[in-house]
Amino acid sequence: MVDTEYARVDDPDEVRRLAGFSPYHLVRDGVDYPATFIVAGDTDPRCPPWHARKFAARLQAATSGDAPVLLHIWRDSGHGWATDKEVLLTQETEWLAFLAKTLGMTPPR
């Protein structure tokens, strides 16, 4: 038996099961997807930025609506604690601003 984290790649049933929860493989053409904001770090060894690029491109091509599908690849940014605190603050601010705009929220005056 091959010990793997998610599935045995030599077992077709396990490969199908794994693909069943892959966001990329679950995208369907012609669906009106909501506004989506995808982020990745260019130096992230666990989640390489090409995964985010490929997913964003697939979602942009598949959606039937006009909601934005945005992608931001952060320079010199890794995974979690590998990212500088100032960069983390900027990242958090950016996705919160995207969420607020998408939901039509405006700051109090």
Side-chain angles (χ1 to χ4, degrees):
M1 180 171 163
V2 178
D3 183 27
T4 61
E5 186 173 356
Y6 295 107
R8 290 181 46 206
V9 297
D10 60 342
D11 183 339
D13 289 334
E14 288 196 27
V15 171
R16 277 190 290 281
R17 181 185 57 79
L18 185 63
F21 60 85
S22 162
Y24 178 85
H25 291 94
L26 293 174
V27 174
R28 299 291 173 245
D29 291 331
V31 174
D32 185 3
Y33 286 105
T36 306
F37 184 62
I38 303 163
V39 297
D42 72 344
T43 60
D44 189 339
R46 295 183 198 151
C47 303
W50 67 266
H51 284 283
R53 289 182 181 109
K54 185 175 176 180
F55 178 65
R58 175 72 182 110
L59 200 55
Q60 288 170 341
T63 191
S64 64
D66 58 357
V69 176
L70 305 178
L71 170 68
H72 189 151
I73 305 294
W74 291 88
R75 285 189 170 176
D76 300 321
S77 181
H79 197 95
W81 294 106
T83 303
D84 179 77
K85 289 180 184 170
E86 290 296 319
V87 174
L88 273 174
L89 181 61
T90 304
Q91 289 173 342
E92 296 297 309
T93 302
E94 188 172 278
W95 77 258
L96 285 168
F98 172 81
L99 180 66
K101 179 162 179 52
T102 300
L103 296 177
M105 300 169 69
T106 56
R109 294 185 181 245

